[in-house]
Amino acid sequence: MDADARIAVLGEELRAVRKGLGLYQTTLPSVAGPVLLDIAGATATDPPGTVRDKLVATVRGLITRLPEGRQELARAVFGLDNPDNTGYMDRLVEQGRAADRDLRTMQRRANEVVYLLAELACVYTPAAAASVDTVPWHTKRLDVRLVLRGDDVEVFETRRVVSHEPDLVDVAHSISVGQSGQGKGPVDLAALGIDEISGGEVRSPRMVSADRVAFTLRPPAPLGPGDEHDFFFRIRATDIAPFYCCTPEFDCERFSLNIRFEPHRRPTRVWRINGELSKEAADPTPTRATLQVDDTGEVRTDFTNLRPARSYGIGWAL
């Protein structure tokens, strides 16, 4: 197959995977065509989850090679920035609204993006991808349970990461433990408990701001491209600001948050923080979707396809 024919075939395959929820459609492993699968390094023996991870990593790497002005549209075209799980045409409408362009114009631009990605993919090699795509891993699933007991706060986090590189031995992580105020100073690292429960070791905890602690998670063995691994750990604090958010540095496919309040200290209002700028996440002023606390004092919500550097979580007022 000559280069022009390969670009044409790959363009058709990319148009197939952009439909619906794009790279997060449930049928992705069976919809993806043979040329795209070959470029992604997916094999017939790979389970569906591994095929998806390889396809997502491949398209993400190709997008980073586009001109900066086209990258946002490309991410929307393939559903990489889609916190509300909207379909393909709705994503284009949203992009058109932001750019003040009609749907037909956005469809033309989306087709141009597909062609450019197909052209790039035809000279795509793992080595070239590694030199551009510097994302070492992403989160496939994050489950957090936050328990409030008087002045004690416990956070139980289970995180499934997917490696993008060979011999991944350290997963850099951080968590902000904002305090509720009352004249208190920076968080005391010595009083902050970070305990690994399963899946590896917590190493080198250190304060990187007044309320953010960074540390490294080390799996029992190095991870290779497409390998998945679960970490489960607990963080204990003596105070917390009235909100809890995930603000991912890299892509996060799914985030589930469950908060349990004490029966005698139930909040008067609880709201959902969905893809906001991190500096605005703690602001109780904006109008947001209300969440309900159940009879046991728990509130929960889920997010999918979280965008890096945006905040997702729950806020409350006592």
Side-chain angles (χ1 to χ4, degrees):
M1 186 185 302
D2 63 29
D4 288 342
R6 185 174 173 84
I7 291 172
V9 170
L10 188 53
E12 289 297 324
E13 294 182 3
L14 288 169
R15 279 188 281 274
V17 302
R18 75 184 181 184
K19 295 178 180 178
L21 296 181
L23 291 167
Y24 295 99
Q25 58 182 288
T26 57
T27 57
L28 177 67
S30 60
V31 167
V35 177
L36 182 57
L37 290 170
D38 179 62
I39 290 171
T43 67
T45 59
D46 286 337
T50 300
V51 173
R52 182 187 305 279
D53 290 336
K54 289 181 177 180
L55 289 169
V56 170
T58 297
V59 174
R60 184 188 290 113
L62 290 170
I63 288 173
T64 64
R65 303 172 70 188
L66 288 172
E68 187 173 345
R70 293 182 182 262
Q71 290 184 22
E72 182 178 357
L73 175 59
R75 291 176 65 86
V77 165
F78 290 95
L80 289 172
D81 291 341
N82 189 21
D84 296 323
N85 287 327
T86 55
Y88 172 65
M89 295 301 290
D90 289 333
R91 297 197 299 274
L92 289 190
V93 168
E94 183 177 347
Q95 287 287 313
R97 187 179 299 116
D100 194 23
R101 294 293 185 270
D102 60 25
L103 179 59
R104 180 170 295 182
T105 299
M106 299 313 299
Q107 288 176 304
R108 175 177 56 79
R109 292 183 178 181
N111 287 334
E112 291 172 354
V113 161
V114 167
Y115 176 83
L116 290 173
L117 289 180
E119 191 176 62
L120 287 169
C122 285
V123 294
Y124 181 90
T125 64
S131 68
V132 178
D133 184 12
T134 58
V135 176
W137 54 271
H138 79 276
T139 299
K140 185 167 187 177
R141 184 176 182 91
L142 172 62
D143 294 300
V144 172
R145 295 184 62 87
L146 174 64
V147 182
L148 305 175
R149 296 191 185 98
D151 292 332
D152 295 325
V153 180
E154 287 188 295
V155 180
F156 298 89
E157 176 175 311
T158 303
R159 180 182 295 265
R160 173 168 293 182
V161 301
V162 181
S163 173
H164 293 190
E165 60 184 34
D167 298 322
L168 179 69
V169 294
D170 288 321
V171 175
H173 189 45
S174 68
I175 183 169
S176 293
V177 188
Q179 294 189 322
S180 59
Q182 302 172 355
K184 296 185 178 181
V187 172
D188 181 6
L189 180 59
L192 190 66
I194 306 175
D195 304 317
E196 61 270 270
I197 297 177
S198 67
E201 295 179 286
V202 173
R203 295 191 170 200
S204 306
R206 60 203 181 278
M207 299 305 303
V208 293
S209 72
D211 63 358
R212 186 162 67 92
V213 58
F215 50 92
T216 298
L217 297 170
R218 174 162 290 187
L223 305 178
D227 287 350
E228 299 181 9
H229 185 73
D230 287 351
F231 293 102
F232 180 30
F233 59 92
R234 176 181 64 177
I235 295 176
R236 291 166 295 164
T238 56
D239 193 20
I240 191 172
F243 70 96
Y244 187 94
C245 287
C246 170
T247 307
E249 180 180 1
F250 308 126
D251 286 348
C252 177
E253 295 183 30
R254 187 174 184 86
F255 171 40
S256 298
L257 176 59
N258 181 295
I259 299 178
R260 186 178 184 92
F261 296 94
E262 292 182 287
H264 62 283
R265 293 189 66 195
R266 294 198 180 189
T268 58
R269 185 166 67 96
V270 180
W271 57 88
R272 193 169 188 261
I273 300 169
N274 187 15
E276 300 183 23
L277 295 173
S278 58
K279 66 180 181 180
E280 297 176 357
D283 187 348
T285 306
T287 301
R288 301 183 177 105
T290 300
L291 298 173
Q292 298 298 319
V293 179
D294 66 21
D295 292 340
T296 67
E298 294 188 9
V299 61
R300 59 186 63 84
T301 191
D302 297 283
F303 304 90
T304 57
N305 301 333
L306 285 68
R307 298 170 60 186
R310 295 281 180 161
S311 293
Y312 304 80
I314 293 175
W316 63 89
L318 295 174

